[in-house]
Amino acid sequence: MNILSENTAFGGMQAVFSHDSEVLNSEMTFAVFIPPQAVEAPCPVLWYLSGLTCTHANVMEKGEYRRLAAEHGLIVVCPDTSPRGKDVPDAITDWQLGKGAGFYVDATEDPWSKYYRMESYITKELPELVAKSFRADMDRQGIFGHSMGGHGAMTLALKNPGRYKSCSAFAPIVSPSTSPWAQKAFEKYLGADTSVWRKHDACALVEDGARFPEFLIDQGKADGFLEEGLKPWMFEEAVKGTDIGLTLRMHERYDHSYYFISTFMDDHIRWHAERL
């Protein structure tokens, strides 16, 4: 890994690294906060997945997670949202496809499949690097995210309940198969067979039998994407009659921005700390 930056915060270290990813066939950048407790013993790992158009930097600069992460002794890892590099396929005029829009799936269709394998990167390659490089307790992992990253966190948790012990989301895309935000990307990355999409759709995964103990979802009622792209009530309906716990909190006047995320970040850090 190459160290791009290191800054002391709340007694811990906020760092940014780059490394060559074999899974994504490109150089990747990620941020990691190491709490002061890691000097003494391995600490739990909390993964944060960002949304469309974002990089590792959005939550690192605006998410306000370090104070509580330091208090509770959590390592927070913030990956990028897609592969990068000059050879990586892109859709320059479409923010919902290509760079910044990896959707945390492993693409199967050309030309995307060589590079867009974010699911394998998040669940395999990057955790191996984190385990090797930091004092991380990989038996205690949680995952959360925003928007597209909320979709990623929820689907990866549902598919890997033995790996993650906690999951939460800010304004997640809970049903990408029915969301214009995701349908185009899913068709390009995964093909036209919508039955394949169900493996990357939180509502469909629950309907098909996937289980996870409980979720925390925060959603702003003034979010301009609520009705068309996010639709958290669909997940609320999907978990009815299951043993999946859901805390869905709808907030007046809050939108889709990091003003919303930073307001409720403390609640999410505490949620994960209690379970990790």
Side-chain angles (χ1 to χ4, degrees), residues 91-155:
I92 298 174
T93 60
D94 189 345
W95 60 277
Q96 296 171 332
L97 182 67
K99 295 178 183 178
F103 274 93
Y104 305 102
V105 303
D106 284 355
T108 57
E109 304 298 304
D110 291 332
W112 313 96
S113 58
K114 180 179 178 181
Y115 300 94
Y116 284 74
R117 302 183 61 218
M118 287 299 295
E119 181 172 356
S120 290
Y121 178 69
I122 297 298
T123 61
K124 297 176 183 177
E125 186 178 39
L126 192 54
E128 290 174 1
L129 187 61
V130 167
K132 182 174 67 175
S133 305
F134 309 108
R135 299 196 75 182
D137 182 351
M138 304 306 285
D139 290 329
R140 291 185 291 164
Q141 296 184 64
I143 190 166
F144 70 146
H146 170 230
S147 195
M148 178 185 73
H151 138 76
M154 293 173 68
T155 56

Side-chain angles (χ1 to χ4, degrees), residues 139 141 143 153-167 209-215:
D139 290 329
Q141 296 184 64
I143 190 166
M154 293 173 68
T155 56
L156 295 182
L158 284 163
K159 289 193 281 186
N160 301 275
R163 173 188 294 265
Y164 304 109
K165 298 187 181 299
S166 58
C167 182
R211 294 293 181 264
F212 195 78
E214 56 185 339
F215 295 90

